[in-house]
Amino acid sequence: MQDNLNFFDEFNKSPEKETLKNNPIAYFCAEFALTSSMPIYAGGLGVLAGDLLREASDRSFPIVGVGLYYNDGYETLHNVNEEGFIAAPHIHKSPESFGLEPVMGDNEKPIKITIPIEGRQVAVRAWRWQTGTIPVFLLDTDCEENASDDRRITDHLYVIDRQMRLKQEIVLGIGGARMLREFKVDPAAYHMNDGHPSLLSYELIGRLIKEKHLSFDDAVREASGKIVFTNHTLVTGGQEIFNDDLISLLLSDFMEEMGIPANNFLSLGRIQDASSFSLTQLSFNVAGATNAVSKIHSKYAKGLWPNHPLQPITNGIHVPSWNGIKDEAFWESHIENKRALLAKIHMMKNLDWQDTDFIIAWARRLVEYKRPTAMLDDIAKLKEMLNNSDKPVRFVFSGRLHPSDTTGEEILKKVVEMIEKEVPGSAVFLPDYDLDLARLLTSGCDIWVNTPIVGFEACGTSGMKAALNGVLPVSTLDGWIAEIDLLGRGFPLDNDNITASLMGILKNEIIPLFFERDEKGVPQKWLANMKNCREMIKNDFSATRMLREYIERLYTPFISRTESHPL
């Protein structure tokens, strides 16, 4: 950890830091977890974005965030009853209700830009959120001069309608780049966190064609010198793909305005032998630097994109935001955290669990490759484990899914039904998984179970947050876990026999170790593992280390040529 802090001490005296004061990094993302209550995030992508900006503020690193303000937030299914699923209630909240301020011009009126979309000029305004010293600009089309349909473009995060989704990504990428220019922000680099903002590249390319009279190919090459791309997912469903005709329908006026021929425009994102346009493919084709979010992610990405190698920069977490442990009173802090989680469970489900119980947690996005039912697929062994009064074990399950995810819906229904039918009182599903609940779970349980199919989990930072608080990882060797030695820190699972491996290691190793206590009732061997986990996260998996690697391996080449290539 100290090496990373020393790096920033030196960096803050460097010429690169001076350049960044006038030319900050522009960090674009479709979601930002800025507060638990503002529902403009869905999961790990947004949490990572929020953690990075908080870390940048701590390190006085010049960066600005660019995203969207979703007036109705993220629509999710949050509970189950006899009739099926209940959608979380929508409350249309004004930006001001979350403390956001409109970005005003010299005339004391909100600054607005316009984008030609589907034959209309769509107005976009911006709201400002401040994370320490770092501004985040959230774009919004709910402007009175827009037609009613256009006012709703930024209503829902990850809206199901594909045409509306593309409009959102036009506003994020093209609108975000235009808004920064309107604010007179000249970034050293545009960092695209996943492919959602990648249409910003056309704004940069178009400027070079119009203002410097470059050819399309030359403009692409020069724009690439300003673009960084972080890829997050290997799963097809996480890659934004649109029909060529839809791209042309919505963006033909923009192409004409910027002087970009349609064939050239489509060529950068075209999927081979298909009439489809991929924002991921576009991102690879225009970025001057790319990275994966773990070493194993980089390895598996080579199979999908052999012509676009991704250097691995493993994600990290903002330690102050996720820390719930006092090192000088480690076990006592853990018990306090555990009691806070148990109080939440009592409030939500009226269950009276004890802080001496062994608490297992599985909590993340409800998608098939994460194998959410791994603990439930041998219900007889699970019941035997949960019904052991000598060594009481409890299981907490939580997560999010999108209403359009029918597979995830079936998984959640199965989980809830099995818990209520087979192990009521000993296991529980907690709805409404958000930042606040995540903090309780990652600090208050005893083990963090992670069961993805190896090669599908890009990183899995929730396990880092748990390990920071001494919660031991029990995981397949995927994402960040593949980079560590679990001996003395956690427990590896067999990827090919996930349920048998999990149940066997719980019965034979984990539970006996947890209940092996000294005369004061403290599991000393277990506690040693907890401390090992915590030190590992602070030293190797913090956002401090991640930001340092971004600077050294992604940003520095862009910073050095900023003055000669303004855009």
Side-chain angles (χ1 to χ4, degrees):
M1 182 67 174
Q2 190 58 46
D3 285 347
N4 293 322
L5 295 177
N6 291 341
F7 166 83
F8 282 99
D9 287 341
E10 292 302 313
F11 180 80
N12 286 335
K13 304 170 189 175
S14 68
E16 288 83 4
K17 174 64 179 288
E18 287 301 310
T19 298
L20 286 171
K21 289 179 181 178
N22 294 318
N23 306 98
I25 302 298
Y27 186 79
F28 282 66
C29 191
E31 51 175 294
F32 283 93
L34 301 173
T35 70
S36 190
S37 61
M38 187 161 58
I40 61 169
Y41 65 97
L45 183 71
V47 175
L48 176 80
D51 273 15
L52 176 68
L53 297 187
R54 282 183 278 272
E55 188 66 42
S57 177
D58 291 349
R59 305 299 151 219
S60 301
F61 181 78
I63 192 170
V64 299
V66 181
L68 299 179
Y69 179 76
Y70 302 97
N71 290 281
D72 290 336
Y74 177 63
E75 185 174 11
T76 184
L77 300 175
H78 78 150
N79 213 338
V80 182
N81 63 12
E82 294 78 8
E83 288 76 36
F85 290 91
I86 308 169
H90 273 313
I91 302 175
H92 189 95
K93 288 193 174 181
S94 68
E96 292 96 338
S97 67
F98 293 110
L100 297 173
E101 297 179 351
V103 183
M104 310 295 282
D106 294 336
N107 60 0
E108 299 301 317
K109 292 183 179 179
I111 292 176
K112 295 180 182 178
I113 55 95
T114 59
I115 313 167
I117 302 176
E118 199 178 8
R120 298 181 302 280
Q121 290 292 329
V122 176
V124 182
R125 61 182 174 176
W127 301 89
R128 182 185 179 115
W129 171 272
Q130 195 77 18
T131 297
T133 61
I134 306 301
V136 185
F137 299 111
L138 301 174
L139 309 186
D140 176 19
T141 63
D142 189 16
C143 304
E144 59 185 14
E145 57 265 53
N146 285 336
S148 58
D149 283 350
D150 294 333
R151 296 186 71 159
R152 292 197 295 269
I153 290 174
T154 53
D155 272 2
H156 298 286
L157 172 57
Y158 299 141
V159 63
I160 297 171
D161 180 85
R162 297 302 293 166
Q163 183 165 323
M164 191 65 84
R165 177 80 70 90
L166 178 56
K167 290 179 180 179
Q168 287 185 346
E169 287 163 340
I170 292 169
V171 172
L172 174 60
I174 296 171
R178 289 189 174 190
M179 192 66 77
L180 289 180
R181 179 174 249 198
E182 192 69 21
F183 297 159
K184 297 180 173 54
V185 176
D186 178 20
Y190 296 79
H191 187 163
M192 306 184 307
N193 192 35
D194 220 18
H196 299 290
S198 60
L199 293 171
L200 70 83
S201 57
Y202 291 115
E203 177 69 15
L204 307 188
I205 291 165
R207 289 182 200 169
L208 290 165
I209 291 172
K210 291 177 65 176
E211 297 171 8
K212 293 192 175 184
H213 309 293
L214 298 184
S215 68
F216 177 78
D217 290 341
D218 287 343
V220 171
R221 279 190 288 271
E222 186 159 333
S224 294
K226 300 282 284 188
I227 298 172
V228 174
F229 169 49
T230 297
N231 176 261
H232 280 272
T233 182
L234 301 176
V235 182
T236 303
Q239 300 170 34
E240 293 284 38
I241 298 173
F242 301 96
N243 185 278
D244 283 356
D245 291 340
L246 181 59
I247 296 287
S248 297
L249 173 68
L250 299 191
L251 285 164
S252 58
D253 290 341
F254 171 80
M255 297 176 201
E256 182 177 352
E257 178 185 299
M258 303 304 285
I260 303 174
N263 285 338
N264 288 344
F265 189 104
L266 293 169
S267 68
L268 291 177
R270 180 168 287 133
I271 298 174
Q272 190 173 0
D273 302 322
S275 297
S276 298
F277 185 94
S278 163
L279 295 190
T280 301
Q281 191 65 50
L282 169 63
S283 301
F284 279 123
N285 285 335
V286 299
T290 60
N291 75 284
V293 292
S294 70
K295 292 178 181 177
I296 196 169
H297 176 210
S298 176
K299 172 186 172 183
Y300 279 92
K302 289 179 182 177
L304 287 178
W305 301 292
N307 298 322
H308 302 285
L310 292 159
Q311 58 177 315
I313 299 178
T314 302
N315 286 341
I317 61 170
H318 183 240
V319 169
S321 292
W322 296 99
N323 179 39
I325 290 287
K326 301 180 183 70
D327 286 305
E328 65 277 8
F330 201 109
W331 183 250
E332 292 79 3
S333 289
H334 174 64
I335 296 301
E336 288 180 14
N337 294 336
K338 201 168 185 178
R339 287 171 180 164
L341 173 61
L342 297 180
K344 181 72 169 180
I345 292 170
H346 177 78
M347 183 186 75
M348 296 179 72
K349 296 294 182 179
N350 197 31
L351 293 174
D352 292 313
W353 294 354
Q354 305 304 307
D355 59 32
T356 51
D357 296 348
F358 180 65
I359 309 295
I360 303 169
W362 191 105
R364 54 193 29 86
R365 277 192 308 118
L366 293 164
V367 292
E368 195 169 18
Y369 78 83
K370 293 178 185 282
R371 297 188 286 199
T373 64
M375 274 202 66
L376 299 168
D377 287 341
D378 190 336
I379 196 65
K381 288 185 178 178
L382 179 62
K383 290 172 74 172
E384 178 185 350
M385 190 183 305
L386 297 182
N387 293 331
N388 185 345
S389 58
D390 294 332
K391 296 177 179 178
V393 177
R394 305 289 180 250
F395 177 37
V396 183
F397 186 98
S398 191
R400 275 188 165 196
L401 59 86
H402 192 277
S404 65
D405 183 2
T406 55
T407 301
E409 187 175 318
E410 289 304 312
I411 290 171
L412 179 54
K413 187 179 295 185
K414 176 181 177 180
V415 167
V416 173
E417 288 178 352
M418 290 189 74
I419 286 174
E420 293 180 351
K421 179 181 177 182
E422 302 288 350
V423 285
S426 298
V428 66
F429 168 72
L430 299 182
D432 303 323
Y433 187 51
D434 61 8
L435 281 180
D436 290 340
L437 184 53
R439 288 192 181 96
L440 286 173
L441 286 166
T442 55
S443 64
C445 58
D446 293 302
I447 62 169
W448 193 260
V449 176
N450 186 43
T451 50
I453 299 171
V454 171
F456 282 75
E457 185 81 286
C459 187
T461 54
S462 62
M464 297 178 190
K465 297 154 193 167
L468 173 69
N469 291 292
V471 176
L472 305 191
V474 179
S475 178
T476 54
L477 302 182
D478 203 16
W480 74 281
I481 292 288
E483 300 175 24
I484 67 172
D485 182 357
L486 282 172
L487 183 64
R489 294 168 173 151
F491 305 87
L493 296 176
D494 183 346
N495 182 60
D496 297 324
N497 299 284
I498 188 67
T499 298
S501 175
L502 177 56
M503 304 310 279
I505 204 167
L506 279 167
K507 179 180 179 180
N508 299 319
E509 296 184 47
I510 296 174
I511 294 173
L513 184 64
F514 177 80
F515 284 100
E516 183 183 322
R517 305 296 175 105
D518 64 12
E519 66 279 1
K520 295 182 179 179
V522 178
Q524 292 294 343
K525 292 180 181 178
W526 186 272
L527 180 59
N529 287 1
M530 294 174 70
K531 292 179 178 179
N532 291 341
C533 278
R534 179 170 174 79
E535 288 307 305
M536 171 186 64
I537 297 302
K538 290 197 296 184
N539 290 332
D540 300 324
F541 294 98
S542 69
T544 313
R545 187 270 311 153
M546 176 179 68
L547 179 57
R548 172 185 177 173
E549 292 191 15
Y550 278 175
I551 295 168
E552 291 179 319
R553 299 166 62 183
L554 296 179
Y555 298 156
T556 296
F558 294 84
I559 297 168
S560 64
R561 58 176 175 257
T562 292
E563 291 185 6
S564 59
H565 292 86
L567 193 57

